[in-house]
Amino acid sequence: MAAPPGLPPPEKLLEKADEYLAELEKGPWPSHVSELKKTGYPVRVYGVGLVARKSPWGPSAVKAKRLTGVLARIARDWVPGGGEEVHFRVFHTPGKFLPTDYLRKIIQISREYGVGLIEAVGQTGAMVINLKSKDVGDKMIDALREIGTDVGGSGDAIREITGCVGPALCEFALYDTLNWLVAFRKDKRVHDATAVPGFPYKFKIKFSGCPMDCARANRADIGFIGVWKGAPEVDQELLRKKIENGEVDPEKLVANCPSGAISWDPVKKELKIDGTRCKKSMHCIRAAFPAIKPGKERRVAVVVGGGSKGRYGPKLGWFIGFLKPDEVDKAIDVTFKVIKPWDEEAQAKYRLGDYILMEGLYRFIEKAGISLEDTPKYVEKLPDNVPYRVLPEEERKKFAEFAEKVKQLVRV
């Protein structure tokens, strides 16, 4: 990245950076700059970035023992004095439960080989530890492996797997997200693809125990979300008690249902939910639990192609079918079926969702050989001589009906 226009000379730039940093240390509240200065982090480079209003870091990589593609950042040419920021992404414990003795060991390693700075809960799902320099990378890896964790998930690889706390703390968990996370991490194919980058771009795997999606699985390249089939269970007697006690307003339950699946009979004082219309928003369950609970027929919805970044912008995942809560081995196989056509055909720096947009969901499902419960199927087969993508007949009809409704609304 070229230097931003209008940047002052190096000496003035550093002077201005110091002024910005000093300003951020003022006030009665805790200052992140003051805390950063207690560590070995190159905080002055950060200050230069504030002045320039551009990231002062450029991409780099570090060679490490039995790992490739560990991400690093090096200060850009226009940053006076330069600097580097090297970090390891360290495997988290399932559910991010951190025993105090384990956390003390992590802190000790960070102080000995790093800058004394740890990102314990980040959006990547990994624990991030900065190094003093590239030279101590192998020593830090050995120390981390001795306490039972490892380094990986950088570059164009499977990134650190993340999941919600699941049944450990949450009454809404519909499958064991922690067990699935551990099973994935133990699989050799997953481990190899985490340690050694070799994909067109990064690939994220996430597990959410229920449709509230606390792990943001709907934004992963492949996500697994606990759901149920049909309508939620309703304990009418318990619900009546909650209504009488003023804990639940049945009219609000009806009004806030996004699909209009709920109806309330004020005479019989009975709540009904149409399972064919229920979109699993969890609103009624959160408002009236445990009088309203998820249905007993549990499933794990599989979604693919999500991500906040990509060649074609942010995307939510496409649904490709259901698994059962005990089919974690099948989930791992499905993951690598999903990866295969993308890995073989996608251009560099195309996320899975970008590739699916190019191919079309139905063609992608066919290429991946995916066959799950309720997997979307081809409605019509295109001849080989058609060089463009068209919508299947079923989707074309839906769009036509939608367009007709819009026309009628405009006329009104």
Side-chain angles (χ1 to χ4, degrees):
M1 185 188 291
L7 208 62
E11 288 186 6
K12 284 285 186 184
L13 180 57
L14 289 175
E15 185 179 319
K16 197 74 175 173
D18 289 338
E19 289 177 13
Y20 273 50
L21 294 172
E23 187 66 28
L24 289 171
E25 290 189 274
K26 293 179 181 178
W29 48 85
S31 166
H32 69 285
V33 172
S34 298
E35 297 303 312
L36 282 174
K37 284 183 176 180
K38 296 175 184 178
T39 72
Y41 188 81
V43 67
R44 213 175 190 194
V45 178
Y46 168 64
V48 169
L50 293 176
V51 177
R53 296 191 177 185
K54 294 283 184 182
S55 172
W57 299 111
S60 183
V62 179
K63 289 183 179 180
K65 190 184 296 182
R66 297 185 295 280
L67 289 172
T68 58
V70 175
L71 293 180
R73 300 191 295 178
I74 188 167
R76 298 198 181 270
D77 295 339
W78 45 267
V79 177
E84 66 177 7
E85 190 271 323
V86 186
H87 63 261
F88 283 157
R89 295 184 179 186
V90 181
F91 291 174
H92 241 309
T93 53
K96 297 182 175 63
F97 292 102
L98 296 168
T100 52
D101 60 336
Y102 173 79
L103 193 55
R104 287 190 181 98
K105 290 173 184 175
I106 290 285
I107 292 169
Q108 181 58 38
I109 291 170
S110 176
R111 287 173 175 168
E112 187 172 351
Y113 302 110
V115 302
L117 189 64
I118 299 171
E119 181 185 330
V121 183
Q123 292 189 15
T124 64
M127 177 182 287
V128 178
I129 302 181
N130 290 66
L131 279 71
K132 285 179 181 175
S133 70
K134 299 175 184 179
D135 300 331
V136 299
D138 288 343
K139 293 179 181 178
M140 180 181 275
I141 290 173
D142 288 338
L144 289 167
R145 286 173 175 166
E146 283 179 13
I147 67 171
T149 188
D150 208 339
V151 175
S154 294
D156 300 330
I158 290 180
R159 294 295 179 88
E160 165 65 325
I161 305 169
T162 186
C164 69
V165 295
L169 288 177
C170 184
E171 64 267 36
F172 298 126
L174 302 175
Y175 76 105
D176 193 340
T177 55
L178 307 182
N179 177 57
W180 278 48
L181 193 155
V182 170
F184 265 72
R185 188 177 282 162
K186 285 182 176 179
D187 189 89
K188 186 178 186 301
R189 292 169 294 174
V190 175
H191 181 273
D192 290 349
T194 303
V196 182
F199 294 152
Y201 204 3
K202 59 187 174 183
F203 189 90
K204 295 186 176 183
I205 305 170
K206 297 183 179 182
F207 306 98
S208 283
C210 80
M212 284 191 280
D213 196 16
C214 293
R216 299 189 294 275
N218 210 2
R219 282 174 45 192
D221 294 278
I222 187 165
F224 300 93
I225 304 172
V227 293
W228 66 93
K229 301 196 78 173
E233 287 185 54
V234 182
D235 184 332
Q236 300 290 353
E237 189 59 37
L238 181 57
L239 182 62
R240 289 188 196 103
K241 289 180 181 178
K242 282 183 168 288
I243 293 170
E244 289 169 4
N245 293 335
E247 298 174 39
V248 176
D249 182 344
E251 300 298 336
K252 281 189 176 180
L253 290 182
V254 173
N256 291 328
C257 179
S259 59
I262 299 177
S263 60
W264 168 249
D265 187 331
V267 178
K268 294 182 179 179
K269 293 188 176 180
E270 194 171 276
L271 190 86
K272 291 184 179 179
I273 303 177
D274 183 351
T276 62
R277 299 175 65 183
C278 176
K279 298 298 183 184
K280 316 298 188 283
S281 73
M282 294 287 289
H283 179 271
C284 63
I285 294 172
R286 285 181 293 170
F289 189 83
I292 304 178
K293 297 190 292 187
K296 289 181 178 178
E297 195 177 350
R298 306 291 170 82
R299 290 293 186 271
V300 179
V302 185
V303 293
V304 296
S308 59
K309 295 181 180 179
R311 192 61 65 100
Y312 298 112
K315 292 172 285 296
L316 293 177
W318 287 274
F319 169 75
I320 61 167
F322 291 118
L323 289 165
K324 293 179 181 177
D326 60 352
E327 291 184 325
V328 61
D329 291 337
K330 189 173 181 180
I332 298 171
D333 291 338
V334 170
T335 298
F336 283 92
K337 282 184 178 181
V338 164
I339 287 173
K340 191 173 186 295
W342 166 69
D343 187 28
E344 292 176 350
E345 300 179 4
Q347 297 180 43
K349 298 305 175 185
Y350 269 62
R351 290 287 291 271
L352 176 66
D354 300 323
Y355 172 72
I356 293 174
L357 278 177
M358 295 291 292
E359 287 296 309
L361 179 62
Y362 294 105
R363 188 178 293 269
F364 167 75
I365 288 173
E366 185 182 53
K367 282 188 173 185
I370 298 166
S371 180
L372 304 175
E373 184 180 341
D374 289 349
T375 293
K377 300 292 192 298
Y378 261 122
V379 177
E380 63 177 79
K381 186 82 172 179
L382 296 178
D384 293 336
N385 61 353
V386 176
Y388 50 83
R389 303 283 182 264
V390 296
L391 289 173
E393 184 63 27
E394 184 183 25
E395 291 189 21
R396 195 180 299 119
K397 285 180 179 178
K398 287 181 179 178
F399 277 110
E401 290 171 3
F402 174 72
E404 189 60 37
K405 287 180 181 178
V406 171
K407 284 182 183 178
Q408 291 174 2
L409 288 171
V410 171
R411 286 170 188 161
V412 173

